[in-house]
Amino acid sequence: MGRAELLKKLLPGFIPLFVFIAADEIWGTKIGLFVAVGTGVAEMAWVGIREKRFDKFILFDTLLLIGLGAVSILLNNDIFFKLKPGLIELVLVAVLAVSAFSSVNIVGLMSQRYLKGTAFNEAQASQMRKTLKSLFYIFLGHTVLVFYAAFFMSKEAWAFISGGLFYILFGVYFVYEFLKQKRQQKQLITEEWVPLVDEEGKVVGQAPRSQVHNGSKLLHPVVHMHVINRNKAILLQKRPPDKLIQPDKWDTAVGGHISAGENLEQALKKEAFEEIGLEKFSAKLQKVYKWESKEEAELVYLFTTFDSKNFNVRSEEVVEARFWTLKQIEKQIGTGIFTPNFEYEFELLKETKLL
């Protein structure tokens, strides 16, 4: 569900309130109440006929309007009406808080119920939570303003804050998100795209590289290659200190993404040349496994080669490369100088009896 879809689901229930504000200004509280309630009933009927569903949110809004209106008329005190939008928003704030900050996404469950057959992948679910967090803070701030205006500001100021300001805040938010999305789309035009795969390696889509490293856990394929010399020492590369993932640690000699349209062989040759300048080598596929961290999820194609001569560090992404003996590696395992991924692969290599 996008931001526009989410706003579309939340706003209809406020229509009776805004109708009441306008009618109250023209005809007074009692007539305004009848007009607003009639609007709420008509809106429920319209949704029921057009969308074949019963909108509980509109019903709740209308019933709360009736209850507070009755108390206000009986006590001849309009403070109840002024608090009404704040109370409505307080319920929404609670729903958004649970959906955005807990494991129970109420808004997501509601959208799946209303939009039959709708399912969210991990990236969409993550994006929805970010949107819900933004909406939570907007609703919370607006609710505080409504309560403050009800007690300490004029009726005209309260009417603007509980009505027009609500739309202004959302308008500013969505214009900002629209411009942000357009800017991101321009960036994606020049960005590297990678295939998305299932756990069997079948390509199911593609995504820009930045989106597979942002915690979305979109599964994408990568190639790793261990370079082993005649003494069974392993070539490792040191990652730069400014790397986003595992900076300043020793890692597999060759590792990189498979770009969209590339096959395994093309990707392996490209990464081997770019990172350690290795050409004219033969490699054997040893293992395919899924590796997951907090930043990403990868389907790793693990290769080995014994063509260890003539390597040459030629990439800015590699600070240094040198051979490590098995004893040197085993002595440093678990100390934090290696990447967790390399330590996992080291155990896999020992199982192959190559070391």
Side-chain angles (χ1 to χ4, degrees):
M1 179 189 292
R3 291 172 172 80
E5 284 281 344
L6 187 57
L7 183 59
K8 184 179 177 182
K9 293 292 182 185
L10 295 176
L11 286 183
F14 286 96
I15 291 177
L17 172 62
F18 297 139
V19 170
F20 166 75
I21 293 172
D24 181 47
E25 287 292 325
I26 300 172
W27 298 298
T29 300
K30 290 184 180 180
I31 295 179
L33 176 61
F34 283 115
V35 172
V37 170
T39 301
V41 172
E43 190 181 3
M44 283 190 290
W46 172 257
V47 172
I49 294 172
R50 185 179 181 184
E51 301 183 17
K52 307 297 182 184
R53 66 180 177 86
F54 177 68
D55 197 313
K56 295 180 181 179
F57 180 61
I58 299 175
L59 175 63
F60 171 77
D61 192 23
T62 305
L63 290 177
L64 186 56
L65 186 67
I66 293 172
L68 294 177
V71 173
S72 180
I73 291 172
L74 290 174
L75 298 181
N76 194 27
N77 188 342
D78 67 350
I79 190 64
F80 293 98
F81 270 122
K82 289 185 176 181
L83 291 178
K84 191 264 180 177
L87 294 173
I88 283 285
E89 283 193 86
L90 208 54
V91 174
L92 292 177
V93 166
V95 170
L96 290 170
V98 172
S99 299
F101 299 102
S102 78
S103 60
V104 181
N105 189 340
I106 299 175
V107 175
L109 294 175
M110 288 175 61
S111 68
Q112 289 177 339
R113 184 177 65 205
Y114 291 146
L115 305 174
K116 301 298 184 182
T118 300
F120 302 106
N121 59 35
E122 291 182 359
Q124 291 170 329
S126 175
Q127 181 60 57
M128 174 182 278
R129 287 193 182 277
K130 292 179 182 178
T131 299
L132 292 176
K133 287 179 181 179
S134 298
L135 292 175
F136 165 77
Y137 291 119
I138 292 173
F139 268 109
L140 182 61
H142 186 257
T143 301
V144 171
L145 282 175
V146 170
F147 275 93
Y148 179 82
F151 286 103
F152 302 110
M153 301 180 74
S154 66
K155 188 175 182 179
E156 292 74 20
W158 167 82
F160 169 72
I161 289 173
S162 57
L165 183 61
F166 181 86
Y167 287 111
I168 291 173
L169 289 174
F170 269 80
V172 170
Y173 169 68
F174 280 98
V175 168
Y176 167 76
E177 290 295 342
F178 175 78
L179 295 176
K180 179 181 176 182
Q181 185 177 21
K182 287 295 183 182
R183 185 172 66 252
Q184 290 175 341
Q185 287 176 348
K186 289 182 180 180
Q187 292 174 347
L188 295 181
I189 294 176
T190 57
E191 188 175 353
E192 178 188 2
W193 284 65
V194 299
L196 303 178
V197 297
D198 59 22
E199 295 192 13
E200 302 299 320
K202 180 181 178 182
V203 176
V204 295
Q206 60 180 5
R209 180 167 177 160
S210 61
Q211 289 188 9
V212 300
H213 287 169
N214 63 2
S216 64
K217 302 298 180 69
L218 294 172
L219 188 63
H220 57 286
V222 299
V223 290
H224 285 186
M225 185 170 72
H226 288 279
V227 180
I228 305 171
N229 68 14
R230 67 176 67 182
N231 298 318
K232 296 188 176 181
I234 304 175
L235 183 67
L236 299 182
Q237 61 153 282
K238 191 172 186 181
R239 299 170 66 82
D242 59 350
K243 267 286 190 180
L244 178 64
I245 300 175
Q246 299 296 328
D248 211 27
K249 293 187 178 183
W250 290 90
D251 197 9
T252 305
V254 175
H257 292 85
I258 299 175
S259 298
E262 277 187 333
N263 59 35
L264 281 175
E265 182 180 0
Q266 291 170 332
L268 189 61
K269 287 183 177 180
K270 177 192 70 177
E271 294 297 333
F273 179 72
E274 289 181 353
E275 295 195 351
I276 59 173
L278 192 62
E279 296 183 277
K280 297 179 181 179
F281 62 90
S282 60
K284 181 179 179 180
L285 179 64
Q286 299 290 348
K287 186 82 173 179
V288 181
Y289 69 92
K290 181 181 178 181
W291 177 259
E292 189 169 330
S293 66
K294 65 179 182 179
E295 295 91 1
E296 61 182 340
E298 298 178 329
L299 189 66
V300 183
Y301 290 84
L302 178 61
F303 291 86
T304 56
T305 182
F306 287 93
D307 295 325
S308 59
K309 297 180 179 180
N310 302 320
F311 75 88
N312 177 36
V313 175
R314 53 182 293 118
S315 171
E316 294 181 355
E317 296 186 1
V318 180
V319 174
E320 179 186 355
R322 65 179 175 87
F323 281 99
W324 290 62
T325 66
L326 300 188
K327 288 184 178 180
Q328 288 174 327
I329 293 174
E330 289 175 339
K331 184 178 180 181
Q332 297 293 341
I333 286 286
T335 64
I337 73 167
F338 301 128
T339 65
N341 199 176
F342 167 72
E343 292 188 353
Y344 176 78
E345 290 187 351
F346 182 66
E347 296 301 320
L348 292 181
L349 290 177
K350 289 196 295 185
E351 292 175 5
T352 66
K353 308 299 183 182
L354 292 174
L355 302 179

